[in-house]
Amino acid sequence: MTTNASVLLLWIPRIAGFLLCLFLAAFALDAFASGQSKRDSLADFAIHLFPSALVLAIVIASWRREWFGAVAFVVLAAAYAVVAGSRLDWVLAISGPLLIVGGLFFWHWRSRERRVSIGPQG
């Protein structure tokens, strides 16, 4: 793999994970839509930010351990698919990006493992 491709493959899962975190955080803004007091709305907002914080924590934990990101994002996608049940549109909107980011982490992990096992080309 060329150097540019390996650098791109290094950064794509991490950037995609951060973008997914922002995507999930946007759903937390729904907490302010109801006619609740500001205090109740802030409490709901904090609760709704939990999935985004979880994704951010996984991205940070996966920074040097791509295998962890691959497993964690696939597990999150499967767990959300079970929780969402019959809402296929929700499953596709949330579990789909989770699976893609998990696949990107897996791809980088496998490509790095191959480079290590092959060794430097001399």
Side-chain angles (χ1 to χ4, degrees), residues 6 11 18 23 30 36 45 52 68 77-78 82 85 89 94-95 103-104 107 110 112-113 115-116 120:
S6 67
W11 284 103
F18 282 123
F23 173 68
D30 188 42
Q36 297 177 335
F45 181 67
S52 181
F68 179 77
V82 168
D89 53 342
I94 305 296
S95 291
L104 289 169
W107 187 11
R110 293 297 296 168
R112 192 173 71 160
E113 289 291 315
R115 284 190 307 251
V116 170

Side-chain angles (χ1 to χ4, degrees), residues 1-10 108 111-112 115 121:
M1 186 179 310
T2 66
T3 305
N4 288 340
S6 67
V7 169
L8 194 60
L9 191 55
L10 169 75
H108 182 258
S111 72
R112 192 173 71 160
R115 284 190 307 251
Q121 300 295 324

Side-chain angles (χ1 to χ4, degrees), residues 34-113:
S34 63
Q36 297 177 335
S37 69
K38 286 189 179 194
R39 182 178 177 186
D40 291 339
S41 292
L42 283 175
D44 287 348
F45 181 67
I47 290 169
H48 283 80
L49 279 179
F50 178 75
S52 181
L54 180 62
V55 168
L56 180 62
I58 291 172
V59 169
I60 291 169
S62 305
W63 204 264
R64 295 179 85 45
R65 295 176 288 301
E66 290 88 3
W67 64 268
F68 179 77
V71 171
F73 278 108
V74 170
V75 167
L76 277 180
Y80 186 80
V82 168
V83 169
S86 63
R87 294 298 308 249
L88 184 60
D89 53 342
W90 291 6
V91 171
L92 290 175
I94 305 296
S95 291
L98 287 168
L99 276 175
I100 290 170
V101 173
L104 289 169
F105 271 110
F106 179 77
W107 187 11
H108 182 258
W109 173 61
R110 293 297 296 168
S111 72
R112 192 173 71 160
E113 289 291 315

